[in-house]
Amino acid sequence: MDTDTKMARAKSQLLLNHPFYGVLCLNTPFRQDDSIPTMATNGTSIMYYSDFVDSITDTQVTFVIAHEIGHIMFKHCTPIKEIDGKPVNKKLQNISMDYVINPILIDGGLTDMPEGGLLDPKYSGWSWVKVYRDLLEQGEENWPEPQPWGFDVQTPTDDDGNELSDAEIKQLNADIDTRIMQASEVARSKGKLPKGIADLVTEMRRSKVDWVEVFHRFIGGDQPDDYTWTKPQRNAWFNQGIYMPSVERNGVGDIVVAIDTSGSVSGIELQQFLGELNNITEDYNPKSVTVITCDADIQNVVTYEQGDIIDKVDCKGRGGTRVEPVFKYIRDNNIEPDNFIYLTDMGIWDFPDNKPDYPVLWVSVDTSCKDAPFGETVRIEVA
């Protein structure tokens, strides 16, 4: 059997037996590229080496194709240069991404993984960045060998081989989201949508502004103090050109914000969070905002008075994650917050046994996390 026929058969089997991946295959260009040692993707197409395809079984070809589709659907090709302020280790990046994809494929019924594939139940449901951080803590001497198949993820390029601009990558990722939704509907209609993919789609359907809406409701409550025409609603005016009254509030008391500085929260996520926090201080006029940074121990405490702008947060530490020191600090210093917010990845093992008597909102940068045992949990979509 020639290579093209073998690839066509594998894609047909995906369409029949695993329609989610099959539909995504139909919308993905494939091309033979013997400079690639096995099979790879750059986010726009899948490249394969003919000798590699000929060397494995039909069902293994099907698995590897679905694996490359997995890199596309998780947007693993989107360039990332740094994690936690340090250059990304490309070897560890690819290992981490493979650990994320393979259990989803196997749980979904694609069980013939070629020899050397990376699989650890511990990492099931994790993001690749979370796996990356875990392996980094273990030390390079404990890293597994990279998979002998499935080449390193490539950077997205156009038809002429030029790297895409930021705007083009953003559009590519939006197109991928649309394709995922379409493929999931086809698979669901046939009763063949794997649970792992269904969970992914559920996360995607959470609007990017959901956490912001919860944030504002949590701080400001559901009822405004009054309305004013002297300052229009910013979104209505700038986005729609409609002059609408804004909410006028007299203030919402004292807010305490804790930030996990263990390395779990990236600079982009922190910037997004602080930007919305400043919007809240402008819209709701809190009496004070106390910002506590903590990894395994309290690192810094700064209190901002009414009207102050929170321009930056000193993220010292980058050690392990503990939350009990924050709650203890609040108790020991007789702080009585009207609202308490914790920004973290929810990799927490020391939740307090006694639920605090003030409202608690957990803002997680890990969208796959479980809810906290108390308070309300909301998730920030990873930037």
Side-chain angles (χ1 to χ4, degrees):
M1 184 190 306
D2 66 82
T3 303
D4 288 343
T5 301
K6 196 169 187 178
M7 289 291 291
R9 283 170 59 100
K11 287 185 277 186
S12 296
Q13 287 302 307
L14 280 175
L15 194 59
L16 289 171
N17 301 318
H18 307 278
F20 174 80
Y21 300 102
V23 171
L24 289 177
C25 276
L26 293 179
N27 298 319
T28 303
F30 283 72
R31 57 185 171 86
Q32 184 173 324
D33 183 347
D34 291 349
S35 69
I36 298 293
T38 55
M39 198 177 296
T41 182
N42 63 358
T44 59
S45 61
I46 292 177
M47 299 76 74
Y48 60 92
Y49 179 36
S50 55
D51 286 357
F52 167 71
V53 173
D54 294 340
S55 70
I56 58 178
T57 67
D58 286 3
T59 51
Q60 288 173 339
V61 173
T62 302
F63 188 98
V64 178
I65 290 175
H67 179 93
E68 298 305 323
I69 290 292
H71 283 305
I72 294 175
M73 73 180 188
F74 282 115
K75 307 181 183 72
H76 285 170
C77 297
T78 300
I80 295 179
K81 296 180 180 180
E82 292 186 350
I83 292 180
D84 302 330
K86 298 179 181 179
V88 171
N89 182 300
K90 293 296 184 182
K91 174 183 175 181
L92 186 58
Q93 179 185 24
N94 281 278
I95 289 173
S96 303
M97 291 173 172
D98 291 340
Y99 266 132
V100 168
I101 295 172
N102 291 336
I104 292 176
L105 299 180
I106 290 175
D107 290 346
L110 285 150
T111 56
D112 195 6
M113 181 171 67
E115 186 176 352
L118 295 173
L119 188 67
D120 187 337
K122 171 184 177 180
Y123 298 132
S124 181
W126 287 30
S127 69
W128 79 261
V129 175
K130 187 175 180 180
V131 177
Y132 181 98
R133 287 171 173 147
D134 184 74
L135 292 171
L136 198 62
E137 288 182 0
Q138 295 179 31
E140 186 170 1
E141 66 277 7
N142 295 312
W143 297 353
E145 287 297 316
Q147 291 184 166
W149 49 269
F151 193 54
D152 294 350
V153 294
Q154 310 292 298
T155 301
T157 59
D158 60 20
D159 294 339
D160 297 324
N162 301 313
E163 290 190 7
L164 301 184
S165 67
D166 290 345
E168 289 171 327
I169 289 175
K170 185 176 181 180
Q171 182 58 55
L172 171 64
N173 288 340
D175 293 342
I176 290 171
D177 286 345
T178 299
R179 291 168 55 197
I180 289 173
M181 292 300 183
Q182 292 171 344
S184 68
E185 289 305 316
V186 172
R188 195 188 307 275
S189 69
K190 298 180 180 296
K192 294 184 177 181
L193 183 64
K195 182 182 183 303
I197 301 302
D199 292 343
L200 170 66
V201 171
T202 297
E203 287 181 19
M204 289 175 58
R205 281 179 171 153
R206 291 193 185 111
S207 170
K208 291 183 180 180
V209 299
D210 276 354
W211 77 273
V212 175
E213 293 174 355
V214 173
F215 209 6
H216 281 256
R217 173 177 54 76
F218 180 79
I219 294 296
D222 295 321
Q223 299 299 322
D225 294 330
D226 203 352
Y227 292 94
T228 176
W229 289 92
T230 59
K231 185 174 72 170
Q233 287 185 23
R234 286 173 299 182
N235 289 341
W237 178 249
F238 287 110
N239 296 334
Q240 304 172 34
I242 302 173
Y243 196 95
M244 296 289 290
S246 62
V247 173
E248 184 175 56
R249 298 183 185 275
N250 298 324
V252 292
D254 299 297
I255 301 172
V256 174
V257 178
I259 296 178
D260 179 355
T261 60
S262 65
S264 305
V265 181
S266 74
I268 293 175
E269 292 156 344
L270 184 59
Q271 185 178 19
Q272 182 184 14
F273 178 82
L274 291 180
E276 199 55 43
L277 189 58
N278 274 319
N279 286 341
I280 283 176
T281 61
E282 179 183 344
D283 291 345
Y284 297 99
N285 199 27
K287 182 179 179 182
S288 70
V289 178
T290 299
V291 179
I292 304 173
T293 57
C294 179
D295 54 358
D297 295 295
I298 299 291
Q299 295 295 331
N300 201 22
V301 180
V302 179
T303 297
Y304 298 85
E305 300 301 334
Q306 199 166 43
D308 289 347
I309 295 176
I310 307 172
D311 53 353
K312 68 175 185 177
V313 171
D314 188 4
C315 290
K316 295 178 181 178
R318 311 316 252 182
T321 300
R322 293 178 63 216
V323 299
E324 175 56 31
V326 175
F327 291 96
K328 183 176 185 300
Y329 181 91
I330 293 173
R331 292 194 303 270
D332 291 348
N333 289 274
N334 298 315
I335 299 174
E336 298 180 356
D338 293 292
N339 294 287
F340 175 83
I341 305 166
Y342 212 126
L343 177 66
T344 177
D345 72 342
M346 295 297 288
I348 299 167
W349 56 269
D350 67 331
F351 287 105
D353 292 331
N354 296 321
K355 175 183 174 182
D357 58 4
Y358 43 83
V360 176
L361 177 67
W362 303 91
V363 180
S364 173
V365 298
D366 181 358
T367 59
S368 62
C369 73
K370 295 181 180 179
D371 286 351
F374 59 84
E376 185 172 0
T377 304
V378 65
R379 296 153 181 87
I380 292 180
E381 182 171 346
V382 177

